[in-house]
Amino acid sequence: MTKLNGRVALVTGAARGIGAEIARVYARAGAKVGVLDLKENLTRGTVASINEAGGQALAIGADVSDAAQVRRAVERVVEEFGGLDIVVNNAGVTRDNLLFKMTGDDWDTVMGVHLRGTFLVTQAAQEVMVGRRYGRVVNISSTSALGNRGQANYSAAKAGIQGFTRTAAIELGPFGITVNSIGPGYVDTEMTRATAERLGVPVDQRLAEVAATLPMRRAGVPADIANAALFLAAEESGFVTGQVLYVDGGRSVR
Ligand code: NAD
């Protein structure tokens, strides 16, 4: 298994779903992990599961769209664990609606968490990473960046993350820092379960419908994304930068 021994990671939106699984996989690989979500108490479950498995984790409450809270969060990780090597910008929300019904708030909320959040966390982290001449930044984009009905805000934000990733890769490469994104397809989490509920479709039916459209004939699970995030966080992946790795059961090539 890929090793992250001696590394320090910060994973945003890690209270549940994909972020929680990335935090657990990183900890299992030997990293010390800052587990960040909106409120510190939300992260307790992820932190407990890491500690019970013999890993080290720090619970952090912060809103990724708030510059002061992000700064403080990065400082806490550095104070507690002595550095910062890996950042995963995973925190996310949806405010789905058809374009003609989408409100300005729906737009701003999604942009604030995904785009502004990714910008603020990466900016604060790179200050530490540049000094150490080493870093791995993993941004969670989505196949929705390719277009998805009802998600004009989310699609624009996730496509924006890809442009941000490429530009940050150019600027930070000379300092030993790689910046990549992962484009998950449909992954079974509370986020997608809430969407199915909102549409009035039973979760199992929704998962079966998704599976039928995909070459791999199944929906994704958080571990699928965490495995890709482990690859991109590894020291050995140091020649991979500015890329989007779609982890989508083949949705983007079907
Ligand atoms: P989720 O809703 O289960 O988890 C998202 C987490 O982010 C939550 O714990 C939430 O509290 C946290 N969060 C939201 N706003 C925040 C903020 N301002 N500051 C800090 N934390 C905040 O979602 P998930 O399915 O695990 O998604 C994780 C990431 O993967 C998101 O970026 C999402 O857009 C992306 N993604 C998910 C899927 C999918 O099918 N589930 C597909 C493609 C991309």
Side-chain angles (χ1 to χ4, degrees):
M1 186 191 179
T2 304
K3 289 288 172 208
L4 300 178
N5 289 329
R7 297 295 180 195
V8 177
L10 173 63
V11 184
T12 72
R16 64 186 205 187
I18 292 169
E21 189 59 19
I22 293 173
R24 280 191 287 266
V25 164
Y26 282 4
R28 227 181 287 141
K32 296 172 187 143
V33 186
V35 177
L36 184 151
D37 212 288
L38 275 170
K39 297 274 175 249
E40 195 175 312
N41 65 326
L42 295 173
T43 69
R44 298 285 178 213
T46 308
V47 168
S49 61
I50 289 174
N51 290 339
E52 280 158 22
Q56 272 183 277
L58 175 68
I60 304 170
D63 179 342
V64 295
S65 65
D66 181 303
Q69 290 183 36
V70 165
R71 251 173 210 285
R72 185 68 203 118
V74 168
E75 278 166 17
R76 276 196 67 204
V77 174
V78 173
E79 280 161 21
E80 184 76 18
F81 292 144
L84 181 59
D85 305 293
I86 302 159
V87 161
V88 183
N89 285 301
N90 165 83
V93 289
T94 53
R95 292 288 184 276
D96 296 354
N97 231 329
L98 292 174
L99 186 54
F100 77 100
K101 286 194 279 189
M102 189 170 282
T103 67
D105 278 352
D106 293 336
W107 180 268
D108 292 343
T109 300
V110 168
M111 292 299 152
V113 177
H114 292 277
L115 266 186
R116 184 176 159 80
T118 297
F119 156 63
L120 289 175
V121 173
T122 307
Q123 190 181 50
Q126 61 84 36
E127 259 181 58
V128 184
M129 292 172 172
V130 165
R132 293 155 62 89
R133 294 289 188 278
Y134 183 86
R136 299 280 179 267
V137 179
V138 180
N139 298 322
I140 305 299
S141 176
S142 169
T143 49
S144 293
L146 304 168
N148 202 23
R149 187 179 164 82
Q151 292 199 312
N153 49 2
Y154 184 83
S155 172
K158 291 305 200 184
I161 283 176
Q162 296 186 9
F164 176 83
T165 296
R166 281 191 282 274
T167 301
I170 292 166
E171 294 186 15
L172 299 177
F175 301 98
I177 302 165
T178 64
V179 188
N180 291 287
S181 44
I182 295 173
Y186 194 100
V187 180
D188 182 21
T189 67
E190 286 179 59
M191 179 183 271
T192 43
R193 283 176 180 242
T195 305
E197 233 166 71
R198 195 167 39 76
L199 298 173
V201 183
V203 170
D204 285 348
Q205 185 186 322
R206 181 77 190 120
L207 290 172
E209 284 167 5
V210 168
T213 67
L214 295 175
M216 298 313 297
R217 296 288 190 269
R218 68 171 176 88
V221 293
D224 291 319
I225 312 307
N227 182 46
L230 178 62
F231 164 70
L232 292 172
E235 186 172 351
E236 296 83 347
S237 303
F239 207 52
V240 182
T241 197
Q243 302 303 304
V244 186
L245 175 55
Y246 284 106
V247 181
D248 62 358
R251 179 204 189 259
S252 48
V253 293
R254 76 181 178 219

